[in-house]
Amino acid sequence: MALRFDTGFDPFYGLGVSVAPDIQRITARNPSPFTFHGTNSYIVGRDTLAVIDPGPDDETHLHALLDVIAGRPVSHIFVSHTHRDHSPLAARLKERTGAAVLAEGPHRPARPLHIGETNALDASADTAFVPDIALPDGKVIDGDGWSIRTVLTPGHTANHAAFALEGTGILFSADHVMAWATSIVAPPDGAMADYMASLDRLIERGDRLLLPGHGGPVTAPRGFMRGLKTHRKMRERAILERLRAGDRTIADMVKAIYRDTDPRLHGAAGLSVLAHIEDLVARGLVVTDAAPAIDGIFKPAR
């Protein structure tokens, strides 16, 4: 399947949008090149509710969520991962509802920092977040008329989780799979090998509808995810071709590979190239004198 992104999305800020039976989406007004129109929060249930990804610490979004909740009890707040556009509002929503907060765990990098390396993604991490309940893979939480299964999907972050609404074929895919763009996989927070393995896992699941953390739904998930996998493999080949052509730095590769990309995203693009490079070094296809780093010198192994 050719990979076609769907950017036709109306956020309807401040309103609850019904996206499936007993599921409403509320989009935060935090648009950016990385968040599209903003972060999607989801409210699941009819009487006693669950909230998935409460979003950024934003007063207006908190009141929008409470307006849609409309005084109904909330038993659980699920958090897919600890980027500041997804998890910070959990604490304030818990104060207002008394709900338990559930997630894979606190924020952590996918690998330790190398000597002398700084984490360019520190500002985006919600390091204060600690869930009330840590969710292992496959854990099913039963609520009032709904059951949600944790599907661990590391890659975008080490603690990224998707949530499956049991018996419906619906998966809340957060930032792992989105209809409008590819997920950012940026070391040290993310890891390309983990991302690809998680993508294979979701392809094998065969869900019929994905509700992502940004933008509209993915309505043909298996074919779309196969397209995402092909896209990543093409990016990997482009990196190897640039190395064989004589490029030795990530900056040079970004200039060539992402020449048609918004320059504001070139920093993230460099980290994405680094994620591929780390994987290629681990597989013996690329060599470097030290641990792969954003300012490293690279060459093809053969």
Side-chain angles (χ1 to χ4, degrees):
M1 175 180 177
L3 184 59
R4 292 187 177 92
F5 294 116
D6 181 1
T7 58
F9 176 74
D10 190 333
F12 293 104
Y13 292 125
L15 300 177
V17 178
S18 179
V19 293
D22 297 331
I23 302 174
Q24 289 185 286
R25 182 190 68 223
I26 305 95
T27 302
R29 194 185 290 269
N30 61 328
S32 77
F34 301 100
T35 60
F36 196 35
H37 289 286
T39 302
N40 294 331
S41 301
Y42 294 95
I43 294 178
V44 178
R46 184 174 301 173
D47 297 318
T48 300
L49 310 174
V51 175
I52 296 176
D53 276 352
D57 188 5
D58 177 84
E59 187 76 17
T60 300
H61 190 54
L62 174 63
H63 285 291
L65 291 174
L66 293 173
D67 285 347
V68 176
I69 289 167
R72 291 173 289 178
V74 178
S75 59
H76 298 83
I77 300 168
F78 292 85
V79 174
S80 66
H81 65 294
T82 44
H83 279 158
R84 288 187 178 275
D85 57 324
H86 286 261
S87 57
L89 198 59
R92 295 178 65 190
L93 189 60
K94 175 184 175 179
E95 288 176 1
R96 298 294 292 268
T97 64
V101 177
L102 303 86
E104 189 271 357
H107 192 80
R108 66 183 186 278
R111 60 157 174 79
L113 290 177
H114 303 312
I115 294 173
E117 184 182 21
T118 59
N119 187 353
L121 306 171
D122 273 344
S124 67
D126 181 9
T127 55
F129 176 85
V130 179
D132 298 317
I133 300 171
L135 294 171
D137 188 47
K139 177 68 174 179
V140 176
I141 302 296
D142 293 317
D144 182 9
W146 50 262
S147 295
I148 291 176
R149 180 182 297 272
T150 300
V151 182
L152 295 187
T153 48
H156 176 66
T157 60
N159 65 354
H160 195 283
F163 300 110
L165 189 59
E166 294 283 88
T168 69
I170 295 172
L171 181 85
F172 299 91
S173 57
D175 284 9
H176 191 74
V177 180
M178 301 175 289
W180 74 283
T182 57
S183 177
I184 293 173
V185 181
D189 280 10
M192 189 59 66
D194 291 344
Y195 174 84
M196 296 296 281
S198 295
L199 197 58
D200 282 338
R201 184 178 190 202
L202 294 191
I203 291 170
E204 291 169 5
R205 279 184 53 84
D207 295 292
R208 66 175 180 84
L209 181 70
L210 305 188
L211 298 176
H214 307 275
V218 179
T219 56
R222 183 169 281 174
F224 184 78
M225 288 189 286
R226 287 181 178 136
L228 286 176
K229 186 174 179 180
T230 298
H231 173 82
R232 296 288 182 176
K233 290 296 185 182
M234 289 174 62
R235 186 69 76 216
E236 177 182 287
R237 287 196 293 271
I239 290 167
L240 290 170
E241 286 170 3
R242 293 310 311 168
L243 289 170
R244 292 177 187 128
D247 287 355
R248 291 293 175 261
T249 68
I250 288 175
D252 286 341
M253 285 183 268
V254 167
K255 288 177 186 175
I257 297 171
Y258 293 88
R259 57 184 175 274
D260 297 325
T261 299
D262 185 339
R264 293 176 297 173
L265 300 177
H266 278 194
L271 292 172
S272 179
V273 171
L274 176 59
H276 278 289
I277 290 281
E278 286 186 343
D279 186 37
L280 290 167
V281 169
R283 290 157 52 196
L285 299 175
V286 172
V287 295
T288 182
D289 290 339
I294 195 69
D295 58 353
I297 304 297
F298 308 97
K299 62 181 180 179
R302 53 184 182 272

Coordinates of all heavy atoms in Angstrom, one line a residue, residues 7 9 11 13 27-40 56 83-86 124 156 175 178 180-182 184 213-215 262-265 268:
T7 N -4.3 14.8 6.2 CA -4.2 16.0 7.0 C -5.6 16.8 7.0 O -5.6 17.9 7.5 CB -3.1 16.9 6.4 OG1 -3.4 17.2 5.0 CG2 -1.8 16.3 6.5
F9 N -8.2 17.4 8.9 CA -8.7 17.2 10.3 C -9.2 18.5 10.8 O -8.5 19.5 10.8 CB -7.5 16.7 11.1 CG -7.9 16.5 12.6 CD1 -8.7 15.5 13.0 CD2 -7.3 17.4 13.5 CE1 -9.0 15.4 14.4 CE2 -7.6 17.3 14.9 CZ -8.4 16.2 15.3
P11 N -10.1 20.2 14.4 CA -10.0 19.9 15.8 C -11.2 20.2 16.6 O -11.4 19.7 17.8 CB -8.8 20.7 16.3 CG -8.8 21.9 15.3 CD -9.2 21.3 14.0
Y13 N -12.0 22.7 18.6 CA -11.4 23.0 19.9 C -12.5 23.2 20.9 O -13.5 23.9 20.7 CB -10.5 24.2 19.9 CG -9.2 24.0 19.1 CD1 -8.9 24.9 18.0 CD2 -8.4 23.0 19.4 CE1 -7.7 24.7 17.3 CE2 -7.2 22.8 18.7 CZ -6.9 23.7 17.6 OH -5.7 23.5 16.9
T27 N -9.7 17.8 21.5 CA -8.4 18.2 21.0 C -7.9 19.5 21.7 O -8.6 20.5 21.7 CB -8.4 18.4 19.5 OG1 -8.8 17.2 18.9 CG2 -7.0 18.7 19.0
A28 N -6.8 19.4 22.3 CA -6.2 20.6 23.0 C -5.7 21.6 22.0 O -5.3 21.2 20.9 CB -5.0 20.2 23.9
R29 N -5.8 22.9 22.3 CA -5.3 23.9 21.4 C -3.8 24.1 21.7 O -3.4 25.2 22.2 CB -6.1 25.2 21.7 CG -5.9 26.2 20.6 CD -6.6 27.5 20.9 NE -8.1 27.4 20.9 CZ -8.9 27.7 19.8 NH1 -8.3 28.1 18.7 NH2 -10.2 27.6 19.9
N30 N -3.0 23.2 21.2 CA -1.6 23.3 21.3 C -0.9 22.9 20.0 O -0.1 22.0 19.9 CB -1.0 22.4 22.5 CG -1.3 20.9 22.3 OD1 -2.3 20.5 21.8 ND2 -0.4 20.1 22.8
P31 N -1.4 23.6 18.9 CA -0.8 23.2 17.6 C 0.6 23.5 17.4 O 1.1 24.5 18.0 CB -1.7 24.0 16.6 CG -2.1 25.2 17.4 CD -2.3 24.7 18.8
S32 N 1.4 22.7 16.7 CA 2.8 23.0 16.4 C 3.2 22.1 15.2 O 2.4 21.2 14.9 CB 3.6 22.7 17.6 OG 3.8 21.3 17.8
P33 N 4.4 22.3 14.7 CA 4.8 21.3 13.7 C 4.9 19.9 14.2 O 4.9 18.9 13.4 CB 6.2 21.9 13.3 CG 6.2 23.3 13.6 CD 5.3 23.4 14.9
F34 N 5.0 19.7 15.5 CA 5.2 18.4 16.1 C 3.8 17.8 16.5 O 3.7 16.6 16.6 CB 6.2 18.4 17.2 CG 7.5 18.9 16.9 CD1 7.9 20.2 17.1 CD2 8.4 18.0 16.2 CE1 9.2 20.6 16.7 CE2 9.7 18.5 15.8 CZ 10.0 19.8 16.1
T35 N 2.9 18.6 16.9 CA 1.6 18.2 17.4 C 0.4 18.3 16.5 O -0.7 18.0 16.8 CB 1.3 18.9 18.7 OG1 1.1 20.3 18.4 CG2 2.3 18.7 19.8
F36 N 0.7 18.8 15.2 CA -0.4 19.0 14.2 C -1.3 20.0 14.8 O -0.9 21.1 15.2 CB -1.0 17.7 13.9 CG -1.9 17.7 12.6 CD1 -1.5 18.5 11.5 CD2 -3.0 16.9 12.5 CE1 -2.3 18.5 10.4 CE2 -3.8 16.9 11.4 CZ -3.4 17.7 10.3
H37 N -2.6 19.8 14.8 CA -3.6 20.7 15.4 C -3.6 20.7 16.9 O -4.2 21.7 17.5 CB -5.0 20.5 14.8 CG -5.1 20.8 13.4 ND1 -5.2 22.1 12.9 CD2 -5.2 20.0 12.3 CE1 -5.3 22.1 11.6 NE2 -5.3 20.8 11.2
G38 N -3.0 19.7 17.5 CA -3.0 19.6 19.0 C -3.2 18.2 19.4 O -3.3 17.3 18.6
T39 N -3.1 18.0 20.8 CA -3.2 16.7 21.4 C -4.6 16.2 21.5 O -5.4 16.9 22.1 CB -2.5 16.7 22.7 OG1 -1.1 17.1 22.6 CG2 -2.5 15.3 23.4
N40 N -4.9 15.0 21.1 CA -6.2 14.4 21.3 C -6.3 13.7 22.7 O -5.5 12.8 23.0 CB -6.5 13.4 20.2 CG -6.6 14.0 18.8 OD1 -7.0 15.1 18.7 ND2 -6.3 13.2 17.8
P56 N -1.7 18.4 27.7 CA -0.8 19.4 28.3 C -1.5 20.1 29.5 O -2.7 20.1 29.6 CB -0.5 20.4 27.2 CG -1.8 20.3 26.3 CD -2.2 18.9 26.4
H83 N 5.5 12.6 27.3 CA 5.8 13.9 26.7 C 4.9 14.9 27.2 O 3.7 14.6 27.5 CB 5.8 13.8 25.1 CG 7.1 13.2 24.6 ND1 7.1 12.6 23.3 CD2 8.3 13.1 25.1 CE1 8.3 12.1 23.1 NE2 9.1 12.4 24.1
R84 N 5.3 16.2 27.2 CA 4.6 17.2 27.9 C 3.3 17.6 27.2 O 2.4 18.3 27.8 CB 5.4 18.5 28.0 CG 6.5 18.3 29.1 CD 7.3 19.6 29.3 NE 8.3 19.5 30.4 CZ 8.0 19.5 31.7 NH1 6.8 19.8 32.1 NH2 9.0 19.4 32.6
D85 N 3.1 17.1 26.0 CA 1.8 17.3 25.3 C 0.8 16.2 25.7 O -0.4 16.3 25.2 CB 1.9 17.5 23.8 CG 2.6 16.3 23.2 OD1 3.5 15.7 23.8 OD2 2.3 15.9 22.0
H86 N 1.1 15.2 26.4 CA 0.2 14.1 26.7 C 0.0 13.9 28.2 O -1.2 13.6 28.6 CB 0.8 12.8 26.2 CG 0.7 12.7 24.7 ND1 -0.3 12.0 24.1 CD2 1.5 13.2 23.7 CE1 -0.1 12.1 22.7 NE2 0.9 12.9 22.5
S124 N 11.0 18.4 26.4 CA 9.7 17.8 26.1 C 9.3 16.7 27.0 O 8.2 16.2 26.9 CB 9.8 17.2 24.7 OG 10.7 16.1 24.6
H156 N 8.8 5.5 20.0 CA 8.7 6.9 20.1 C 9.3 7.4 21.5 O 10.0 8.4 21.5 CB 7.2 7.3 20.0 CG 7.0 8.8 20.2 ND1 7.5 9.8 19.3 CD2 6.3 9.5 21.1 CE1 7.1 11.0 19.7 NE2 6.4 10.8 20.8
D175 N 1.1 8.2 19.9 CA 2.0 8.8 18.9 C 2.8 7.7 18.1 O 3.7 8.0 17.3 CB 3.1 9.7 19.6 CG 2.5 11.0 20.0 OD1 1.3 11.2 19.9 OD2 3.3 11.9 20.5
M178 N 0.0 7.5 13.5 CA -0.9 8.7 13.3 C -1.1 8.8 11.8 O -0.3 8.5 11.0 CB -0.2 10.0 13.8 CG 0.1 9.9 15.3 SD 1.0 11.4 15.9 CE 2.6 11.1 15.1
W180 N -1.7 11.6 10.1 CA -1.2 12.8 9.4 C 0.3 12.9 9.2 O 0.7 13.7 8.3 CB -1.6 14.0 10.3 CG -0.8 14.2 11.5 CD1 -0.9 13.5 12.7 CD2 0.3 15.1 11.7 NE1 0.1 13.9 13.6 CE2 0.8 14.9 13.0 CE3 0.9 16.1 10.9 CZ2 1.9 15.6 13.5 CZ3 1.9 16.8 11.4 CH2 2.4 16.6 12.7
A181 N 1.1 12.0 9.8 CA 2.5 12.1 9.7 C 3.1 10.9 10.3 O 2.5 10.1 11.1 CB 3.1 13.4 10.4
T182 N 4.4 10.7 10.1 CA 5.2 9.6 10.8 C 5.5 10.0 12.2 O 5.6 11.2 12.5 CB 6.5 9.3 10.1 OG1 7.3 10.5 10.0 CG2 6.2 8.7 8.7
I184 N 7.9 10.6 15.4 CA 9.3 11.0 15.6 C 9.9 10.0 16.5 O 9.4 9.6 17.6 CB 9.4 12.4 16.3 CG1 8.9 13.5 15.3 CG2 10.8 12.7 16.7 CD1 8.8 14.9 15.9
G213 N -2.9 10.1 18.9 CA -2.7 11.2 19.8 C -2.8 12.5 19.1 O -2.9 13.6 19.8
H214 N -2.7 12.6 17.8 CA -2.8 13.8 17.0 C -3.5 13.5 15.7 O -3.2 12.5 15.1 CB -1.4 14.4 16.8 CG -0.6 14.6 18.0 ND1 -0.7 15.7 18.8 CD2 0.3 13.8 18.6 CE1 0.1 15.5 19.9 NE2 0.7 14.4 19.8
G215 N -4.4 14.4 15.3 CA -5.0 14.2 14.0 C -6.1 13.2 14.0 O -6.6 12.7 15.1
D262 N 10.0 21.2 6.1 CA 10.0 22.4 6.9 C 11.3 22.5 7.7 O 11.6 21.6 8.5 CB 8.8 22.4 7.8 CG 8.6 23.7 8.6 OD1 9.6 24.5 8.7 OD2 7.5 24.0 9.1
P263 N 12.1 23.6 7.4 CA 13.3 23.7 8.2 C 13.2 23.7 9.7 O 14.2 23.3 10.4 CB 13.9 25.1 7.7 CG 13.2 25.3 6.4 CD 11.9 24.7 6.5
R264 N 12.0 24.0 10.2 CA 11.8 24.0 11.6 C 11.9 22.5 12.2 O 12.1 22.3 13.4 CB 10.4 24.6 12.0 CG 10.3 26.1 11.8 CD 8.9 26.5 12.1 NE 7.9 25.9 11.2 CZ 6.6 26.1 11.3 NH1 6.1 26.8 12.3 NH2 5.8 25.5 10.5
L265 N 11.8 21.6 11.3 CA 11.8 20.2 11.6 C 13.1 19.5 11.4 O 13.3 18.3 11.6 CB 10.7 19.4 10.9 CG 9.2 19.9 11.1 CD1 8.3 19.1 10.3 CD2 8.9 19.8 12.6
A268 N 14.7 17.8 14.5 CA 14.0 16.5 14.7 C 14.4 15.5 13.6 O 14.7 14.3 13.9 CB 12.5 16.6 14.7

